Amino acid sequence: MIRRSLMLSVHRLGSLPYFYRASAGWARGLAIAGSVLVVYALYQALVVVPPDYQQGDVYRIIYIHVPSAWLSLLGYTTMAVAGAIALVWRLKIAEIYLVAAAPVGASFTMLALVTGALWGEPTWGAWWVWDARLTSELILLFLYIGVIALNGAIESPRHAARVCALLSIVGVLDVPVIHYSVVWWTTLHQGATVRPLGGTTMPGEMLLPLLISALGFTLLFAWLTLSRMRVELLWRERRSRWVARMLATDE
């Protein structure tokens, strides 16, 4: 019974008309929840949480930098998964996710690089160094841009999605390089602040707003991607009957 319900849910999500109708409510919920969490976390981080005993107030940028860096990795990883699903099962919704998530992931990757530079200048004395972590993160940005460029350069949406899927699957090899770069090489970048299995070096009053910020940014990432998916879906299916019926009903 559970397996049948799960298969039914997957089948429904694969239905483009069902996904478009249902995703409107999802998008509103994600936008509201994500905004509330981010505003609360940033208030705690900028007003309530005390300065760091070593870095002073400059450390507060991690409440934007860390969630952005996390989403740069998560975004590309999910794109690779969607790419594999698109290649194997030819699901249009996976293709749509792949091309819709790329600009959102690229934006968060750029935000991670910019906030890292703003933190690095007072900490390292330089806006940029060819550090293993920073260089591999920059490569990830180029991979995102590559997916965006390929999708725009190929006229057929389905063919473009397949080519983008291949690039996403190959490019995802950069994700573990970014994550483990501070372990594999000697770098200026500090190690992981929060380790799921190894504890954390942050006091609880500093850690909780960081976790809330990460959750809030993740919900906003999902909202932005979902909104782009809805637009991409309508563009692809603009000549289909269900879109014509929906537009006629709205009028």
Side-chain angles (χ1 to χ4, degrees):
M1 188 67 179
I2 297 177
R3 182 180 178 182
R4 183 178 179 181
S5 299
L6 180 61
M7 292 299 294
L8 182 60
S9 299
V10 173
H11 178 73
R12 284 179 175 176
L13 287 176
S15 169
L16 299 185
Y18 171 83
F19 177 86
Y20 185 82
R21 288 192 296 268
S23 60
W26 305 341
R28 285 193 296 270
L30 290 169
I32 294 171
S35 298
V36 170
L37 289 175
V38 167
V39 169
Y40 174 78
L42 293 183
Y43 171 76
Q44 291 290 316
L46 299 177
V47 178
V48 178
V49 174
D52 183 72
Y53 74 98
Q54 286 183 322
Q55 300 182 39
D57 285 322
V58 72
Y59 92 99
R60 298 181 191 275
I61 205 166
I62 69 169
Y63 293 99
I64 297 176
H65 174 71
V66 171
S68 300
W70 144 254
L71 287 171
S72 71
L73 303 183
L74 177 66
Y76 206 89
T77 301
T78 57
M79 284 169 54
V81 173
I85 294 173
L87 289 176
V88 175
W89 288 288
R90 308 285 185 178
L91 287 180
K92 285 186 178 181
I93 199 66
E95 298 175 0
I96 291 171
Y97 175 85
L98 171 61
V99 299
V104 183
S107 300
F108 278 100
T109 305
M110 177 62 75
L111 183 59
L113 290 169
V114 170
T115 52
L118 293 175
W119 175 82
E121 198 281 330
T123 305
W124 298 338
W127 296 101
W128 178 268
V129 292
W130 290 102
D131 179 88
R133 172 63 64 82
L134 300 183
T135 304
S136 54
E137 184 76 6
L138 180 62
I139 291 172
L140 184 65
L141 177 61
F142 292 152
L143 289 169
Y144 273 117
I145 294 174
V147 172
I148 297 169
L150 282 174
N151 183 60
I154 300 174
E155 186 174 354
S156 169
R158 303 220 67 181
H159 181 56
R162 286 193 289 271
V163 176
C164 292
L166 290 173
L167 177 57
S168 298
I169 293 170
V170 174
V172 80
L173 295 175
D174 188 45
V175 171
V177 173
I178 296 171
H179 181 72
Y180 291 107
S181 57
V182 294
V183 177
W184 293 342
W185 297 286
T186 301
T187 71
L188 291 176
H189 201 285
Q190 69 184 60
T193 302
V194 181
R195 303 178 183 87
L197 300 178
T200 177
T201 58
M202 292 185 68
E205 60 183 348
M206 295 180 177
L207 176 62
L208 183 59
L210 179 60
L211 296 178
I212 295 174
S213 179
L215 177 59
F217 270 90
T218 302
L219 295 179
L220 291 181
F221 178 97
W223 164 58
L224 291 171
T225 302
L226 191 59
S227 299
R228 287 188 56 83
M229 288 179 70
R230 288 169 55 80
V231 174
E232 178 71 19
L233 191 158
L234 276 185
W235 173 252
R236 286 190 175 206
E237 300 295 309
R238 62 190 182 278
R239 296 186 179 90
S240 64
R241 293 181 179 178
W242 72 268
V243 172
R245 288 196 298 268
M246 181 186 67
L247 294 177
T249 303
D250 291 342
E251 291 176 357

